[in-house]
Amino acid sequence: MIGIFDSGVGGLSVFREIHKILPDERFIYYSDNAHCPYGEKSREYIIDRARTITSFLISQGADIIVVACNTATAAAISTLRKEFPIPFIGMEPAVKPAAQATKTGVVGVLATAGTLKATKYIDTREKWAQNVKIVEHIGQGFVELVENGKITGPEAEEVTSRSVKPLVDAGADTIVLGCTHYPFLADTILKVTGKHVTLIDPAPAVAKHLLEVMTENDLIHTDGFSMDLHSSGDGTTLANTYNNLI
Ligand code: DGL
């Protein structure tokens, strides 16, 4: 059983890609929306939440876990790998494909404060973005929009434009979606940027990596699709978002 967790519904944007290549697996999803957003929380707090959620998912039968949250991956995945005897798959900031794709030589990165200040992101940027200019912005208010189901419309456009416009104004033609909530706002972000901008979502690469790790560990069972949804707070947005995906 594949366990997936996030601070909210964002991880469903990763599940969507996983399901395309692993359609017959059993899934359990945990939205930690009672403690959302993670973006501004301390590393210790996120590690504590990640530990609690991991224990729960394993108690329900998960034998591999996707940390479908960039912020939680940056803060907690190394601790989880030390403390639990199962494989963990995390989110990678997609700076490398973005640096290869840009024609203007300017890459925008949208992510949470926690992700942007994490060593994992800073190391990735130093390794892959030496020949391009990186401009970063916190997706201020994006997670709240998605958690409230407001992914299109005037409010979504106004909120997203505050963080996205500075990237476009700086010349970015390629924007990394460095938080798993943000792909749900892709249409709105493209409305703000114009269609000449390419958005890069790491989820398809993460799904591919999961498939490889499951194959190596003999975890592919294809015993029929199922999904068990859990949330620490109100489950309405989780159910609605999931029903719109499937
Ligand atoms: N979905 C998350 C991420 O990928 C966390 C958003 C948040 O809770 O701030 O970073």
Side-chain angles (χ1 to χ4, degrees):
M1 186 191 282
I2 304 169
I4 304 178
F5 78 88
D6 177 45
S7 63
V9 296
L12 287 178
S13 71
V14 186
F15 163 72
R16 174 169 62 185
E17 298 303 324
I18 295 172
H19 184 246
K20 284 182 192 162
I21 57 171
L22 285 161
D24 294 317
E25 298 295 320
R26 294 164 64 210
F27 294 89
I28 178 167
Y29 185 94
Y30 193 95
S31 154
D32 195 17
N33 60 337
H35 306 97
C36 184
Y38 282 176
E40 310 276 337
K41 303 249 176 19
S42 72
R43 202 169 161 262
E44 292 68 32
Y45 182 91
I46 296 168
I47 290 174
D48 195 49
R49 290 306 307 151
R51 225 184 236 136
T52 304
I53 296 164
T54 296
S55 300
F56 171 73
L57 294 173
I58 293 175
S59 78
Q60 300 300 300
D63 43 22
I64 185 162
I65 289 180
V66 181
V67 184
C69 172
N70 294 262
T71 315
T73 299
I77 203 164
S78 55
T79 307
L80 297 176
R81 285 188 173 130
K82 271 187 224 132
E83 294 183 4
F84 295 92
I86 60 164
F88 287 88
I89 308 295
M91 299 306 298
E92 286 293 327
V95 174
K96 183 183 172 192
Q100 288 165 345
T102 178
K103 293 196 172 60
T104 56
V106 184
V107 167
V109 177
L110 289 169
T112 68
T115 297
L116 292 175
K117 66 170 191 251
T119 321
K120 189 178 173 77
Y121 168 70
I122 293 166
D123 289 351
T124 308
R125 190 185 60 191
E126 263 160 33
K127 188 162 174 206
W128 299 111
Q130 275 166 6
N131 300 320
V132 298
K133 184 177 168 204
I134 298 276
V135 282
E136 295 157 359
H137 214 288
I138 293 169
Q140 209 77 57
F142 289 22
V143 170
E144 290 78 359
L145 284 175
V146 176
E147 288 298 316
N148 291 317
K150 294 183 186 160
I151 56 175
T152 53
E155 186 185 343
E157 280 167 41
E158 203 212 304
V159 171
T160 49
S161 74
R162 279 185 232 136
S163 300
V164 171
K165 275 288 236 143
L167 305 180
V168 180
D169 292 346
D173 64 345
T174 308
I175 295 179
V176 174
L177 302 180
C179 166
T180 56
H181 279 76
Y182 301 174
F184 288 119
L185 292 164
D187 289 345
T188 301
I189 294 172
L190 285 173
K191 233 173 149 182
V192 174
T193 61
K195 294 269 193 271
H196 66 286
V197 167
T198 305
L199 304 180
I200 310 259
D201 175 7
V206 170
K208 212 170 138 242
H209 181 50
L210 172 68
L211 174 63
E212 284 159 11
V213 174
M214 287 181 69
T215 307
E216 273 162 28
N217 288 274
D218 195 22
L219 289 171
I220 306 223
H221 296 307
T222 59
D223 40 9
F225 174 76
S226 66
M227 170 56 101
D228 188 11
L229 294 174
H230 294 264
S231 55
S232 53
D234 180 81
T236 314
T237 303
L238 180 60
N240 290 342
T241 310
Y242 179 73
N243 289 334
N244 285 337
L245 284 186
I246 293 291

